[in-house]
Amino acid sequence: MKQSFNFSDDKYTDLKVAISTYHDVDGDDWETIKELKRFTFSKNITLAFIAQHFQTKGDMFIPEVEEWEQLVEEVRKKDKENKVVMLGKQSINDAEISKDPGSQWQQYKSKLKKKGFSEKSIQELQKSSFSIMQRLNADTINSRPTKGLVVGNVQSGKTANMAGLISMAADYGFNYFIVLSGVIENLREQTANRLYKDLNSNGNLNWTNITNPSISSKNPESQWENIDLRSNSKNRYITVCLKNKRRMDLLIKWLYSDQNKLTQLKVLVIDDEADQASVNTKNIEEEARTAINKSLVSLVNGYKDKKLKAVNYISYTATPYANVLNESGPESLYPRDFIFSLTPSEDYIGPKQIFGLQVPEAHPSVDIVKTIPADDYSQILNIHNGRDAIIPASLETAIDWFFLSSAAMRANGYKSPITMLVHTSQKIRHHDLIAEAISLYLEEIRKTPLVYYTKLEELYNNESVDFTKRDFLQGMPKYSRKEQIADYPEWPLVLKQLRRVMSEQGSDYLSHIPLGNSGEPVYHKGFHLVIDNSQSRADDQEVRLVYPNESTKPNFAPMFIVVGGNTLSRGLTLEGLTTSYFLRTTNQADTLMQMARWFGYRHNYEVFPRIWLNTLARERFEFLSQLNEELREEISYMQTRGQTPEDLGPKIKNSPNKQFISITSNNKMQNAIGANLDFTGFNKQTVLFTNNKEALFENLCLTENFLNKITEADASTKGHLVFREVNYNHIRSYLSKFNFCDKDIVFHNINAFLDWYDEANKENAFADWSVVVSSIGEVPKIESMENPKWNIQGYSPKAVKRTRRGDVQADGKTVTIGSLRNPYDLYADIPTINEEDSLSAKADEVRITREKHGYGLVPQLLIYRIDKGDATSTDNVKISTKKKNRFPLDFDEDLIGMNILIPGISNSKKLAKHVTINLSLNDEDEDVDEDQFKEEEL
């Protein structure tokens, strides 16, 4: 009998790394790995060798042969599920990953190991870099340049992937690399220094950093006679260029100046933060271009009828909305060849981890967000207006937590900078006022230290209970550094550190960053209150943020409270960020996402970060979390169907309320189609409900009448009552009369959907509808029941049970259930469905499976009668304690919930009301793992 093993156990982690290494790095096929064919020893001896070679911590674990074989199959299955998410053409070159220890890639990989990258992170980076590398073209002189887009995450290590791609391209024969890095010179210098340090090694290749090249430059490294581009040359060249018109124009003129070198130059252009400055914001209908965009187009497409041997333009950004919505002509920078979605490492803490998802329901993995009340927001506005200088209670608590977390981390032996972000406005004059108010508070707490310590102890005790190390590990089960996570130290150790800071006097307790005799920063144990904006200046202190370097680094963790606005966004990493106090009023998704400096990696202080947001900002970030996931899903779905960005632009989630949030500025999405919701591929469920007895009762009656008027019911599918080939007019009448929750942005605006469907279906693009009523078990007939709740064509489907998630909203009657839909109900109307097909609940596979069974054009309406959830019921009391943050609904009447599914494909061009690019590409040179839906546990 086949044994069963729990492969989620940590003891298998290193063995999984061994299997992935044999497959991804050494190129062994799965059968060779499973049968241990690369070894000549017996299987038992071989397994002992593998265990000894790969296991780095804990007691050595040697698997049995059967255990190893099943583990290989498990890794093989996961590898298939976690396939690279890319929308684009197949490989167009014969590149291979070099195994030569002296190769650029192997040298870079060694550096990653020394930096502490986990084996899994390195494997993922290798896989993603190589997948992009395979799409590069080493000869574009007689064809168009390759243009691709890499979508990362904010603060997720895109630079590591860039260096990986450059390394592999250098091994393959690309000889010149241009990295366009932002619009701020000091950030350009940081990128240049980091990349050169990552690339320069003692390997097979010799690297030259060419800074600000121009025809008039006298620097030897930029003289063409000193640049060796021969095919057998071991020399490689890199320029990190500011997105500045003058700098770029000088670079272009120099690059295209030597006629003999043109046919040897194999160039890879990497555009970092490609949605910044690179996008054309002038009127594209008038064929006008912004200065930087015009220069970039010349660099990529050719200059004065001259072309290079090869040009590949790869743009990187975490917010790609402008890049895929603005313009798509053949001369534009539209990523017509591919879009690639980077998978962050298992240690990344991003939007999904902090804010969760609504569909499919996913709670925050790291529950660290605090609310800034409306009254506190008003108090901040009073400070901005100069009417007050007293900070609100929430900002007090945030500062207190920053002080506590800093003291705790110092007690744990943490030596690197620790930072608090305060971002209440983008206006420079507000920054000084907020900083002054913070300064007053920090001075005030010194007057009654014993009272203050008591206040801090209570906060420390509460926070260390509300979010524990165990909570973090449960939310991040694949975290690679479990053993390195520092826990909360005991209170006496924290208090000792607090007292040490409070004992400092004058500017050693609170100041900007003092400067030494030679002008270098000097750091003290107290608070460094810095104001980071373009006008921050002082004679004897550094007002703007300057972290220690190797020569100025103290032997303790310096504390920084950073007040600022736009300078704290794109490209800046806030070191040791434990506390974020954020009031940002922008409604542009790309700008807002870039301001979220709290995303990223929090190694060695995982339990300490906290984020304070007002309700609107939090709702917007929750929307952005969903937007990110759906964009990745869209890329995966189009790739599964073999479509490319040249065939069809990816759709981006949009809000019907532009005041709530807009994807980007209008001049960055000039060629976008549609301004409202895109309902092609729509698959949404109602999760918000208001306890209004009259409206709930009307919905029950309306639904019963609707279901008794349509086609004959089929009760043959267990747990469902199915109605097929229902005329849309019945659907329209029902939905238009239904009482949806007015806080549900999508369903409350159901008329927008109905108007869209009327227009879309004028050419009969869709078939008649399926209607499915979800029940529990066999659907009973009326005659078999004593007190049936309703009569649907002689049947009485049972009400399903759902629970309230979290608190009742401010109105005292609106709740969210988090998740309504059982994903397998999406197949209930398909009589030919088989067990294998019905097991998949992944979004893209649901669409494909429905198409496979002839339901690709059949819209579906799922209806659920939800038990009102009496709070006094014994069953519901059990429900409230079974799952954290779950409570009985306790409504006055049963609820009606629904899910609407609209096919994602159609031949009708009238369905083109998407938030997507209006493609205007020509055909020249045509040569060319998702989250699962979850059923709520009850």
Side-chain angles (χ1 to χ4, degrees):
M1 182 177 176
K2 190 175 181 180
Q3 285 187 266
S4 178
F5 302 100
N6 177 20
F7 291 129
S8 62
D9 194 307
D10 286 346
K11 69 181 181 181
Y12 293 104
T13 299
D14 292 328
L15 294 175
K16 292 176 183 177
V17 170
I19 293 167
S20 296
T21 300
Y22 290 143
H23 182 265
D24 295 338
V25 179
D26 298 334
D28 290 350
D29 60 54
W30 295 110
E31 191 63 25
T32 296
I33 301 169
K34 182 177 178 181
E35 298 298 327
L36 302 167
K37 292 179 181 179
R38 66 155 46 210
F39 301 96
T40 57
F41 311 112
S42 70
K43 289 187 175 181
N44 287 326
I45 294 176
T46 298
L47 290 173
F49 167 77
I50 292 172
Q52 185 177 18
H53 181 70
F54 279 92
Q55 289 179 4
T56 58
K57 47 187 178 286
D59 297 331
M60 188 169 72
F61 167 69
I62 303 174
E64 300 294 332
V65 173
E66 181 184 357
E67 198 171 5
W68 170 263
E69 291 173 348
Q70 288 191 38
L71 181 61
V72 172
E73 288 300 322
E74 176 73 10
V75 175
R76 181 180 186 176
K77 176 184 174 184
K78 292 294 183 184
D79 182 79
K80 184 177 180 180
E81 290 176 356
N82 296 327
K83 59 184 180 294
V84 170
V85 180
M86 174 178 280
L87 167 58
K89 300 175 182 179
Q90 299 303 311
S91 173
I92 61 172
N93 61 48
D94 57 355
E96 294 181 354
I97 298 174
S98 176
K99 298 178 182 178
D100 183 347
S103 68
Q104 184 61 45
W105 166 248
Q106 294 298 337
Q107 289 285 310
Y108 179 56
K109 190 162 74 168
S110 296
K111 290 187 177 183
L112 292 175
K113 290 179 180 177
K114 291 178 182 177
K115 289 181 178 181
F117 278 61
S118 69
E119 285 287 346
K120 185 175 180 180
S121 296
I122 293 174
Q123 288 171 16
E124 188 62 46
L125 192 148
Q126 174 176 289
K127 185 187 296 185
S128 60
S129 299
F130 186 60
S131 295
I132 300 168
M133 174 62 221
Q134 288 179 298
R135 271 73 180 177
L136 303 187
N137 194 337
D139 187 352
T140 63
I141 200 163
N142 293 315
S143 63
R144 68 193 188 197
T146 296
K147 297 172 184 175
L149 170 65
V150 179
V151 182
N153 287 277
V154 173
Q155 299 282 85
S156 66
K158 296 189 297 297
T159 306
N161 184 270
M162 292 179 203
L165 176 59
I166 290 172
S167 296
M168 291 184 179
D171 285 335
Y172 188 64
F174 282 82
N175 48 32
Y176 192 67
F177 302 87
I178 299 171
V179 179
L180 302 168
S181 181
V183 296
I184 301 173
E185 175 60 19
N186 63 345
L187 294 180
R188 186 207 69 81
E189 290 179 359
Q190 287 179 18
T191 302
N193 293 336
R194 176 178 171 183
L195 277 175
Y196 187 70
K197 186 177 181 180
D198 285 342
L199 297 171
N200 195 31
S201 61
N202 296 319
N204 299 337
L205 301 179
N206 306 313
W207 285 89
T208 299
N209 188 7
I210 304 178
T211 304
N212 297 333
S214 69
I215 296 174
S216 60
S217 174
K218 302 300 183 184
N219 295 330
E221 67 269 14
S222 62
Q223 304 304 308
W224 282 113
E225 61 267 22
N226 298 328
I227 296 176
D228 185 1
L229 301 174
R230 292 173 297 175
S231 59
N232 61 349
S233 173
K234 299 297 183 182
N235 295 320
R236 300 293 185 266
Y237 305 89
I238 184 168
T239 294
V240 180
C241 182
L242 196 69
K243 291 187 188 179
N244 171 281
K245 174 175 169 50
R246 182 175 180 277
R247 294 252 190 114
M248 292 177 67
D249 286 348
L250 290 173
L251 167 64
I252 294 166
K253 291 175 183 178
W254 171 81
L255 188 67
Y256 284 87
S257 64
D258 191 311
Q259 189 65 40
N260 295 324
K261 300 289 185 178
L262 291 179
T263 57
Q264 296 177 310
L265 275 164
K266 296 182 180 180
V267 177
L268 172 59
V269 179
I270 290 180
D271 188 354
D272 190 13
E273 305 292 357
D275 62 314
Q276 181 188 35
S278 301
V279 176
N280 184 25
T281 56
K282 285 197 173 181
N283 192 329
I284 60 175
E285 293 184 359
E286 297 176 2
E287 299 184 359
R289 293 197 173 276
T290 50
I292 292 175
N293 178 264
K294 184 177 181 180
S295 297
L296 189 47
V297 166
S298 295
L299 172 64
V300 174
N301 293 328
Y303 177 68
K304 293 186 175 179
D305 298 323
K306 297 176 184 178
K307 297 190 73 174
L308 308 177
K309 172 70 173 177
V311 179
N312 293 257
Y313 171 74
I314 312 300
S315 49
Y316 279 74
T317 181
T319 47
Y321 323 128
N323 301 91
V324 297
L325 293 176
N326 198 50
E327 57 174 341
S328 62
E331 294 299 312
S332 75
L333 302 174
Y334 180 74
R336 59 190 297 167
D337 293 300
F338 68 84
I339 298 176
F340 183 90
S341 179
L342 289 177
T343 301
S345 85
E346 65 271 30
D347 294 352
Y348 179 69
I349 302 171
K352 179 181 174 182
Q353 286 74 27
I354 292 177
F355 296 102
L357 296 174
Q358 184 178 10
V359 182
E361 182 189 8
H363 299 293
S365 305
V366 182
D367 194 4
I368 58 175
V369 179
K370 311 290 183 180
T371 300
I372 301 174
D375 289 346
D376 286 18
Y377 178 55
S378 298
Q379 181 66 14
I380 291 291
L381 294 181
N382 287 336
I383 297 174
H384 288 169
N385 295 328
R387 291 195 292 264
D388 205 339
I390 306 300
I391 62 174
S394 58
L395 183 51
E396 282 189 11
T397 305
I399 295 171
D400 293 347
W401 177 250
F402 172 65
F403 196 5
L404 280 169
S405 60
S406 300
M409 289 163 66
R410 284 178 172 179
N412 283 338
Y414 192 84
K415 300 288 187 181
S416 299
I418 307 172
T419 306
M420 176 180 182
L421 164 67
V422 180
H423 185 178
T424 62
S425 170
Q426 75 274 24
K427 294 182 179 180
I428 290 174
R429 63 187 180 87
H430 294 164
H431 301 161
D432 288 332
L433 294 168
I434 290 292
E436 182 179 343
I438 292 173
S439 179
L440 289 173
Y441 177 71
L442 291 175
E443 292 292 355
E444 186 68 24
I445 62 178
R446 291 163 63 86
K447 296 178 180 179
T448 54
L450 295 180
V451 174
Y452 185 58
Y453 294 148
T454 301
K455 175 186 177 185
L456 291 187
E457 184 178 9
E458 182 181 1
L459 176 60
Y460 188 74
N461 289 338
N462 289 340
E463 288 299 323
S464 59
V465 169
D466 290 345
F467 183 65
T468 65
K469 178 179 176 180
R470 183 179 180 182
D471 291 332
F472 180 86
L473 288 172
Q474 286 179 338
M476 303 282 289
K478 297 181 180 179
Y479 201 69
S480 73
R481 301 164 58 95
K482 294 184 174 73
E483 291 78 9
Q484 286 81 27
I485 296 177
D487 208 343
Y488 300 96
E490 295 297 323
W491 172 249
L493 297 175
V494 177
L495 180 59
K496 184 177 179 180
Q497 294 290 337
L498 296 171
R499 284 175 169 162
R500 177 67 185 86
V501 173
M502 297 285 270
S503 69
E504 294 286 358
Q505 300 299 316
S507 61
D508 286 338
Y509 170 71
L510 174 62
S511 71
H512 297 311
I513 302 173
L515 299 177
N517 295 331
S518 302
E520 76 283 358
V522 178
Y523 302 93
H524 52 67
K525 288 186 170 66
F527 296 95
H528 300 92
L529 179 57
V530 300
I531 306 172
D532 202 275
N533 59 46
S534 58
Q535 295 183 12
S536 301
R537 299 286 188 276
D539 293 334
D540 58 344
Q541 298 184 76
E542 179 60 62
V543 181
R544 295 193 67 174
L545 178 61
V546 178
Y547 285 124
N549 56 32
E550 289 302 320
S551 63
T552 61
K553 186 176 181 180
N555 64 351
F556 57 87
M559 300 186 298
F560 300 86
I561 298 179
V562 186
V563 179
N566 292 341
T567 59
L568 300 180
S569 59
R570 191 185 301 267
L572 177 66
T573 298
L574 295 174
E575 299 182 28
L577 182 63
T578 65
T579 312
S580 302
Y581 192 87
F582 188 90
L583 285 170
R584 176 67 169 170
T585 55
T586 181
N587 67 339
Q588 290 183 14
D590 48 3
T591 302
L592 190 65
M593 183 71 86
Q594 289 290 349
M595 300 304 292
R597 296 291 95 189
W598 50 78
F599 299 141
Y601 300 93
R602 300 292 173 249
H603 292 155
N604 301 320
Y605 60 101
E606 290 85 348
V607 300
F608 294 106
R610 300 290 187 275
I611 303 163
W612 275 261
L613 300 171
N614 67 334
T615 301
L616 180 58
R618 182 171 187 162
E619 289 175 350
R620 285 172 171 168
F621 277 114
E622 289 171 350
F623 179 90
L624 293 182
S625 178
Q626 190 71 38
L627 183 155
N628 264 8
E629 287 301 304
E630 292 189 12
L631 178 58
R632 181 178 172 82
E633 180 183 300
E634 175 72 6
I635 294 172
S636 176
Y637 176 63
M638 293 175 71
Q639 187 253 349
T640 300
R641 295 187 57 81
Q643 295 168 316
T644 75
E646 187 171 27
D647 301 326
L648 186 66
K651 297 177 294 184
I652 296 177
K653 180 179 177 66
N654 191 28
S655 168
N657 183 353
K658 291 298 184 70
Q659 297 301 311
F660 172 68
I661 199 162
S662 174
I663 294 173
T664 186
S665 59
N666 289 334
N667 62 0
K668 284 187 175 182
M669 49 186 292
Q670 298 180 62
N671 217 13
I673 301 175
N676 298 314
L677 283 173
D678 168 24
F679 294 102
T680 304
F682 185 80
N683 188 8
K684 301 294 180 186
Q685 57 189 319
T686 51
V687 295
L688 285 168
F689 298 91
T690 299
N691 189 13
N692 179 317
K693 185 178 178 68
E694 182 178 344
L696 293 172
F697 184 73
E698 284 180 5
N699 283 347
L700 287 168
C701 296
L702 176 70
T703 302
E704 185 170 358
N705 291 335
F706 162 67
L707 293 173
N708 280 305
K709 287 181 180 177
I710 56 179
T711 58
E712 184 178 352
D714 177 2
S716 62
T717 304
K718 185 177 180 180
H720 302 96
L721 205 58
V722 180
F723 307 80
R724 297 184 180 87
E725 299 183 0
V726 178
N727 186 278
Y728 165 66
N729 290 331
H730 290 298
I731 304 290
R732 194 186 207 293
S733 176
Y734 171 62
L735 293 178
S736 64
K737 296 174 183 175
F738 195 89
N739 297 298
F740 291 101
C741 173
D742 60 7
K743 290 181 171 56
D744 189 318
I745 293 175
V746 175
F747 284 95
H748 183 60
N749 291 288
I750 195 67
N751 287 332
F753 164 77
L754 296 173
D755 291 344
W756 173 87
Y757 195 93
D758 291 341
E759 181 67 23
N761 206 39
K762 282 184 177 178
E763 297 179 0
N764 297 318
F766 298 119
D768 284 337
W769 287 57
S770 291
V771 177
V772 177
V773 179
S774 183
S775 181
I776 300 173
E778 300 292 341
V779 181
K781 291 189 175 182
I782 292 293
E783 63 236 28
S784 66
M785 303 182 68
E786 292 185 7
N787 297 302
K789 283 196 169 185
W790 55 351
N791 184 347
I792 310 299
Q793 297 190 22
Y795 295 92
S796 185
K798 296 178 182 177
V800 300
K801 292 186 181 296
R802 296 293 185 266
T803 54
R804 166 169 61 87
R805 188 183 80 183
D807 296 332
V808 178
Q809 293 191 8
D811 62 3
K813 54 186 179 181
T814 300
V815 306
T816 177
I817 62 173
S819 181
L820 165 72
R821 177 187 60 208
N822 183 328
Y824 305 106
D825 290 345
L826 298 171
Y827 300 117
D829 55 328
I830 306 177
T832 58
I833 197 76
N834 54 51
E835 183 177 357
E836 181 180 353
D837 284 342
S838 66
L839 290 176
S840 174
K842 294 182 179 179
D844 55 350
E845 293 180 7
V846 167
R847 301 186 214 177
I848 291 170
T849 299
R850 289 185 66 84
E851 292 171 22
K852 174 183 173 182
H853 289 272
Y855 277 67
L857 295 177
V858 179
Q860 184 198 65
L861 174 64
L862 274 172
I863 295 176
Y864 298 80
R865 180 170 185 152
I866 306 169
D867 190 281
K868 63 184 180 180
D870 184 354
T872 62
S873 165
T874 304
D875 288 342
N876 283 307
V877 170
K878 290 179 180 177
I879 287 172
S880 69
T881 58
K882 183 175 181 180
K883 202 170 183 183
K884 184 180 179 182
N885 211 29
R886 284 288 181 181
F887 308 93
L889 286 172
D890 200 21
F891 268 40
D892 294 332
E893 294 281 357
D894 283 356
L895 304 72
I896 296 293
M898 66 179 67
N899 184 88
I900 297 176
L901 181 152
I902 301 299
I905 61 168
S906 175
N907 296 323
S908 173
K909 292 185 178 180
K910 289 188 178 295
L911 299 185
K913 283 191 176 180
H914 306 156
V915 183
T916 186
I917 190 73
N918 183 13
L919 290 170
S920 56
L921 301 166
N922 62 28
D923 295 325
E924 66 176 81
D925 304 316
E926 184 60 38
D927 186 24
V928 292
D929 313 1
E930 276 66 37
D931 289 309
Q932 295 186 354
F933 301 123
K934 297 176 182 176
E935 170 66 351
E936 178 183 15
E937 295 178 10
L938 295 176

